[in-house]
Amino acid sequence: MGNLSILTRRYIWLIETIQRAGKISLKDINLKWNKDAYLFDEPASDIPKRTFHRHKMDIFNLFGIEIKCDRCDNTYFIDYENSDVKTTFTKKILYSLNLDLSLRNNIEKLAHIIFENTPGGMEFLSSFIHALIYQNILDIQYCDYNSTDIKNYKFHTYGLKQSTQRWYAIGFTEGKSETIILALDRILDIQKNNDCFKRNKKVNIRKLFDEIVGINLDDEFDCEEVIIRIYGRQRAYLESLPLHKSQKIIFCGKDYSDYSLKLRPEYEFHRAILGMGEDAEVISPVWVRNNMKRITTEMLARYS
C-alpha cells in the first residue's frame, strides 16, 4: 500500500473519530489510534503532535474540513460552519473512503453488503475534476446513446452532475455557446490538452438545472406551475426526497396530498411521475395531464 493511500486512510480515520466524539482531546485520539493501528499495517504508537497538526492542514486542503481546537479544554472539533463536510460531493467521497477503511481486513463482510450496479466512466471523474480546477481543455472521443458515430470534442469543463446513478460532465466546446452534457460512461477516450480555456464567469451551472428534473436540458419547454396528486404511503417518500426543490404541499387530505412544483415538465419529469405508478396523478396543466394519459394508454395497449 503506497504512502498516499496510507495518509488518505489516516485522514478519513481522523475525520470519523472527531465526528463521532463531537469534541475529543489528542490524548483520547491516541488511545483510539493505538487500538485501530492494525487498519494501517502500523505498530501501536502515539501520533506525534507535529504530524497531527500536519494531518489537520492536509484534511482542510483536501476535503475543505476544518478541525479546530477549543483552548478552554484542549479538545478538537470539526468547525462545520467553515467546512464542506455537509456538501453532497464531499459527503459521497467521505462515505466511500470510510466504507473502504471500515471493511479493511474484513473482506468477508462484503458478502453482506449489496451495492447497486453503476455504469462505467468513473475512471474519468478525476480528469474532469482536474480540468475544473485548472481549466485544461480535454480532448474527448464520445459515442452517444442513440448513435454509433464517434464525436470528437475539445471540451471546456464547467461542472459535474450525478443523476440516476450516472455521472455527467457539463461544459462547452470551442467557438460554440450551446451547453454540452456528456455521460461519463459513453466516453471512449480522454486526453488532457496542453491548452487552457478562460472560464466565462457569467455561466452559472447550478442555474442551468434549476427548472428541471434530472439532466436533460430541453429549451422547448417553458417553466410553469405543475400540480401533482400523490396517494397513500408514496407521500412520505416524496416528502423525504422531493421531486424538485420548488416542491410545496398545497393540500393534505386523508387519502392524498397535492403538491405544486415550478419547473419545465419535460421527459425526465414524466418518467419520474410514471415511476410512482398508480400513486401519482398530474392535475394541471391540462396539456401535461393529457400527455400522461396518452403515455399510460399506450402502455396499457402493450399489455393488452
Side-chain angles (χ1 to χ4, degrees), residues 261-278:
L261 302 99
K262 189 80 172 176
L263 46 69
R264 283 187 258 166
E266 40 69 70
Y267 166 75
E268 289 187 83
F269 167 78
H270 285 74
R271 188 173 66 175
I273 297 297
L274 289 168
M276 289 185 270
E278 71 275 13

PDB file of all heavy atoms in Angstrom, residues 261-278:
ATOM      1  N   LEU A 261     -45.247  22.350  -8.084  1.00  0.00           N
ATOM      2  CA  LEU A 261     -43.843  22.406  -8.494  1.00  0.00           C
ATOM      3  C   LEU A 261     -43.703  23.431  -9.613  1.00  0.00           C
ATOM      4  O   LEU A 261     -44.570  23.530 -10.490  1.00  0.00           O
ATOM      5  CB  LEU A 261     -43.353  21.045  -8.998  1.00  0.00           C
ATOM      6  CG  LEU A 261     -43.467  19.865  -8.036  1.00  0.00           C
ATOM      7  CD1 LEU A 261     -44.708  19.049  -8.363  1.00  0.00           C
ATOM      8  CD2 LEU A 261     -42.253  18.987  -8.104  1.00  0.00           C
ATOM      9  N   LYS A 262     -42.631  24.195  -9.570  1.00  0.00           N
ATOM     10  CA  LYS A 262     -42.343  25.177 -10.614  1.00  0.00           C
ATOM     11  C   LYS A 262     -41.165  24.658 -11.417  1.00  0.00           C
ATOM     12  O   LYS A 262     -40.011  24.709 -10.969  1.00  0.00           O
ATOM     13  CB  LYS A 262     -42.015  26.522  -9.970  1.00  0.00           C
ATOM     14  CG  LYS A 262     -41.917  27.683 -10.945  1.00  0.00           C
ATOM     15  CD  LYS A 262     -43.276  28.217 -11.339  1.00  0.00           C
ATOM     16  CE  LYS A 262     -43.123  29.503 -12.169  1.00  0.00           C
ATOM     17  NZ  LYS A 262     -44.416  30.002 -12.641  1.00  0.00           N
ATOM     18  N   LEU A 263     -41.460  24.132 -12.631  1.00  0.00           N
ATOM     19  CA  LEU A 263     -40.398  23.505 -13.420  1.00  0.00           C
ATOM     20  C   LEU A 263     -40.787  23.393 -14.889  1.00  0.00           C
ATOM     21  O   LEU A 263     -41.886  23.778 -15.288  1.00  0.00           O
ATOM     22  CB  LEU A 263     -40.063  22.119 -12.853  1.00  0.00           C
ATOM     23  CG  LEU A 263     -41.206  21.150 -12.497  1.00  0.00           C
ATOM     24  CD1 LEU A 263     -41.950  20.636 -13.710  1.00  0.00           C
ATOM     25  CD2 LEU A 263     -40.676  19.976 -11.706  1.00  0.00           C
ATOM     26  N   ARG A 264     -39.868  22.858 -15.677  1.00  0.00           N
ATOM     27  CA  ARG A 264     -40.144  22.531 -17.080  1.00  0.00           C
ATOM     28  C   ARG A 264     -40.558  21.062 -17.140  1.00  0.00           C
ATOM     29  O   ARG A 264     -39.726  20.183 -16.877  1.00  0.00           O
ATOM     30  CB  ARG A 264     -38.911  22.758 -17.946  1.00  0.00           C
ATOM     31  CG  ARG A 264     -38.643  24.220 -18.261  1.00  0.00           C
ATOM     32  CD  ARG A 264     -37.507  24.332 -19.256  1.00  0.00           C
ATOM     33  NE  ARG A 264     -36.255  24.704 -18.618  1.00  0.00           N
ATOM     34  CZ  ARG A 264     -35.071  24.604 -19.199  1.00  0.00           C
ATOM     35  NH1 ARG A 264     -34.969  24.107 -20.417  1.00  0.00           N
ATOM     36  NH2 ARG A 264     -33.977  24.966 -18.572  1.00  0.00           N
ATOM     37  N   PRO A 265     -41.800  20.766 -17.467  1.00  0.00           N
ATOM     38  CA  PRO A 265     -42.271  19.372 -17.455  1.00  0.00           C
ATOM     39  C   PRO A 265     -41.842  18.599 -18.707  1.00  0.00           C
ATOM     40  O   PRO A 265     -42.642  18.273 -19.579  1.00  0.00           O
ATOM     41  CB  PRO A 265     -43.795  19.521 -17.378  1.00  0.00           C
ATOM     42  CG  PRO A 265     -44.074  20.845 -17.999  1.00  0.00           C
ATOM     43  CD  PRO A 265     -42.884  21.718 -17.748  1.00  0.00           C
ATOM     44  N   GLU A 266     -40.549  18.286 -18.773  1.00  0.00           N
ATOM     45  CA  GLU A 266     -40.034  17.580 -19.940  1.00  0.00           C
ATOM     46  C   GLU A 266     -39.941  16.077 -19.669  1.00  0.00           C
ATOM     47  O   GLU A 266     -40.506  15.577 -18.696  1.00  0.00           O
ATOM     48  CB  GLU A 266     -38.703  18.188 -20.412  1.00  0.00           C
ATOM     49  CG  GLU A 266     -37.741  18.591 -19.312  1.00  0.00           C
ATOM     50  CD  GLU A 266     -37.152  17.433 -18.561  1.00  0.00           C
ATOM     51  OE1 GLU A 266     -36.337  16.694 -19.142  1.00  0.00           O
ATOM     52  OE2 GLU A 266     -37.504  17.244 -17.385  1.00  0.00           O
ATOM     53  N   TYR A 267     -39.184  15.372 -20.485  1.00  0.00           N
ATOM     54  CA  TYR A 267     -39.140  13.913 -20.494  1.00  0.00           C
ATOM     55  C   TYR A 267     -38.860  13.297 -19.123  1.00  0.00           C
ATOM     56  O   TYR A 267     -39.560  12.384 -18.675  1.00  0.00           O
ATOM     57  CB  TYR A 267     -38.069  13.462 -21.506  1.00  0.00           C
ATOM     58  CG  TYR A 267     -37.671  12.011 -21.385  1.00  0.00           C
ATOM     59  CD1 TYR A 267     -38.518  11.010 -21.844  1.00  0.00           C
ATOM     60  CD2 TYR A 267     -36.453  11.654 -20.816  1.00  0.00           C
ATOM     61  CE1 TYR A 267     -38.152   9.669 -21.732  1.00  0.00           C
ATOM     62  CE2 TYR A 267     -36.078  10.326 -20.696  1.00  0.00           C
ATOM     63  CZ  TYR A 267     -36.932   9.338 -21.161  1.00  0.00           C
ATOM     64  OH  TYR A 267     -36.576   8.020 -21.042  1.00  0.00           O
ATOM     65  N   GLU A 268     -37.834  13.801 -18.423  1.00  0.00           N
ATOM     66  CA  GLU A 268     -37.448  13.181 -17.163  1.00  0.00           C
ATOM     67  C   GLU A 268     -38.473  13.426 -16.055  1.00  0.00           C
ATOM     68  O   GLU A 268     -38.609  12.618 -15.135  1.00  0.00           O
ATOM     69  CB  GLU A 268     -36.054  13.648 -16.735  1.00  0.00           C
ATOM     70  CG  GLU A 268     -34.957  13.069 -17.615  1.00  0.00           C
ATOM     71  CD  GLU A 268     -33.571  13.397 -17.102  1.00  0.00           C
ATOM     72  OE1 GLU A 268     -33.091  12.674 -16.212  1.00  0.00           O
ATOM     73  OE2 GLU A 268     -32.981  14.350 -17.611  1.00  0.00           O
ATOM     74  N   PHE A 269     -39.201  14.529 -16.141  1.00  0.00           N
ATOM     75  CA  PHE A 269     -40.295  14.757 -15.193  1.00  0.00           C
ATOM     76  C   PHE A 269     -41.383  13.712 -15.405  1.00  0.00           C
ATOM     77  O   PHE A 269     -41.883  13.114 -14.447  1.00  0.00           O
ATOM     78  CB  PHE A 269     -40.873  16.164 -15.363  1.00  0.00           C
ATOM     79  CG  PHE A 269     -42.183  16.358 -14.654  1.00  0.00           C
ATOM     80  CD1 PHE A 269     -42.219  16.557 -13.282  1.00  0.00           C
ATOM     81  CD2 PHE A 269     -43.384  16.318 -15.353  1.00  0.00           C
ATOM     82  CE1 PHE A 269     -43.427  16.716 -12.617  1.00  0.00           C
ATOM     83  CE2 PHE A 269     -44.600  16.480 -14.701  1.00  0.00           C
ATOM     84  CZ  PHE A 269     -44.619  16.682 -13.330  1.00  0.00           C
ATOM     85  N   HIS A 270     -41.768  13.488 -16.665  1.00  0.00           N
ATOM     86  CA  HIS A 270     -42.776  12.474 -16.984  1.00  0.00           C
ATOM     87  C   HIS A 270     -42.340  11.100 -16.467  1.00  0.00           C
ATOM     88  O   HIS A 270     -43.135  10.348 -15.891  1.00  0.00           O
ATOM     89  CB  HIS A 270     -43.017  12.404 -18.498  1.00  0.00           C
ATOM     90  CG  HIS A 270     -43.820  13.546 -19.032  1.00  0.00           C
ATOM     91  ND1 HIS A 270     -43.299  14.813 -19.173  1.00  0.00           N
ATOM     92  CD2 HIS A 270     -45.109  13.617 -19.460  1.00  0.00           C
ATOM     93  CE1 HIS A 270     -44.234  15.609 -19.676  1.00  0.00           C
ATOM     94  NE2 HIS A 270     -45.341  14.914 -19.856  1.00  0.00           N
ATOM     95  N   ARG A 271     -41.070  10.776 -16.679  1.00  0.00           N
ATOM     96  CA  ARG A 271     -40.554   9.467 -16.262  1.00  0.00           C
ATOM     97  C   ARG A 271     -40.608   9.322 -14.740  1.00  0.00           C
ATOM     98  O   ARG A 271     -40.911   8.243 -14.216  1.00  0.00           O
ATOM     99  CB  ARG A 271     -39.118   9.295 -16.762  1.00  0.00           C
ATOM    100  CG  ARG A 271     -38.575   7.898 -16.556  1.00  0.00           C
ATOM    101  CD  ARG A 271     -37.233   7.731 -17.216  1.00  0.00           C
ATOM    102  NE  ARG A 271     -36.210   8.566 -16.596  1.00  0.00           N
ATOM    103  CZ  ARG A 271     -34.928   8.527 -16.945  1.00  0.00           C
ATOM    104  NH1 ARG A 271     -34.527   7.717 -17.911  1.00  0.00           N
ATOM    105  NH2 ARG A 271     -34.051   9.306 -16.345  1.00  0.00           N
ATOM    106  N   ALA A 272     -40.319  10.405 -14.018  1.00  0.00           N
ATOM    107  CA  ALA A 272     -40.364  10.366 -12.554  1.00  0.00           C
ATOM    108  C   ALA A 272     -41.785  10.138 -12.047  1.00  0.00           C
ATOM    109  O   ALA A 272     -42.005   9.376 -11.098  1.00  0.00           O
ATOM    110  CB  ALA A 272     -39.801  11.667 -11.988  1.00  0.00           C
ATOM    111  N   ILE A 273     -42.762  10.781 -12.690  1.00  0.00           N
ATOM    112  CA  ILE A 273     -44.165  10.586 -12.292  1.00  0.00           C
ATOM    113  C   ILE A 273     -44.603   9.157 -12.597  1.00  0.00           C
ATOM    114  O   ILE A 273     -45.242   8.490 -11.773  1.00  0.00           O
ATOM    115  CB  ILE A 273     -45.084  11.598 -13.012  1.00  0.00           C
ATOM    116  CG1 ILE A 273     -44.726  13.031 -12.602  1.00  0.00           C
ATOM    117  CG2 ILE A 273     -46.554  11.303 -12.708  1.00  0.00           C
ATOM    118  CD1 ILE A 273     -44.938  13.339 -11.134  1.00  0.00           C
ATOM    119  N   LEU A 274     -44.250   8.670 -13.772  1.00  0.00           N
ATOM    120  CA  LEU A 274     -44.598   7.296 -14.138  1.00  0.00           C
ATOM    121  C   LEU A 274     -43.959   6.290 -13.182  1.00  0.00           C
ATOM    122  O   LEU A 274     -44.538   5.230 -12.918  1.00  0.00           O
ATOM    123  CB  LEU A 274     -44.149   7.007 -15.573  1.00  0.00           C
ATOM    124  CG  LEU A 274     -44.947   7.699 -16.680  1.00  0.00           C
ATOM    125  CD1 LEU A 274     -44.221   7.560 -18.019  1.00  0.00           C
ATOM    126  CD2 LEU A 274     -46.348   7.119 -16.777  1.00  0.00           C
ATOM    127  N   GLY A 275     -42.787   6.627 -12.665  1.00  0.00           N
ATOM    128  CA  GLY A 275     -42.090   5.738 -11.747  1.00  0.00           C
ATOM    129  C   GLY A 275     -42.835   5.533 -10.435  1.00  0.00           C
ATOM    130  O   GLY A 275     -42.573   4.566  -9.716  1.00  0.00           O
ATOM    131  N   MET A 276     -43.783   6.428 -10.118  1.00  0.00           N
ATOM    132  CA  MET A 276     -44.584   6.285  -8.899  1.00  0.00           C
ATOM    133  C   MET A 276     -45.859   5.486  -9.132  1.00  0.00           C
ATOM    134  O   MET A 276     -46.666   5.303  -8.219  1.00  0.00           O
ATOM    135  CB  MET A 276     -44.901   7.670  -8.313  1.00  0.00           C
ATOM    136  CG  MET A 276     -43.683   8.352  -7.715  1.00  0.00           C
ATOM    137  SD  MET A 276     -44.079   9.924  -6.897  1.00  0.00           S
ATOM    138  CE  MET A 276     -43.876  11.058  -8.268  1.00  0.00           C
ATOM    139  N   GLY A 277     -46.054   5.047 -10.402  1.00  0.00           N
ATOM    140  CA  GLY A 277     -47.173   4.171 -10.721  1.00  0.00           C
ATOM    141  C   GLY A 277     -48.526   4.786 -10.450  1.00  0.00           C
ATOM    142  O   GLY A 277     -48.745   5.981 -10.669  1.00  0.00           O
ATOM    143  N   GLU A 278     -49.427   3.965  -9.933  1.00  0.00           N
ATOM    144  CA  GLU A 278     -50.810   4.404  -9.722  1.00  0.00           C
ATOM    145  C   GLU A 278     -50.955   5.373  -8.562  1.00  0.00           C
ATOM    146  O   GLU A 278     -52.040   5.943  -8.342  1.00  0.00           O
ATOM    147  CB  GLU A 278     -51.731   3.190  -9.491  1.00  0.00           C
ATOM    148  CG  GLU A 278     -51.548   2.478  -8.157  1.00  0.00           C
ATOM    149  CD  GLU A 278     -50.429   1.447  -8.178  1.00  0.00           C
ATOM    150  OE1 GLU A 278     -49.625   1.438  -9.143  1.00  0.00           O
ATOM    151  OE2 GLU A 278     -50.357   0.647  -7.224  1.00  0.00           O
TER     152      GLU A 278
END
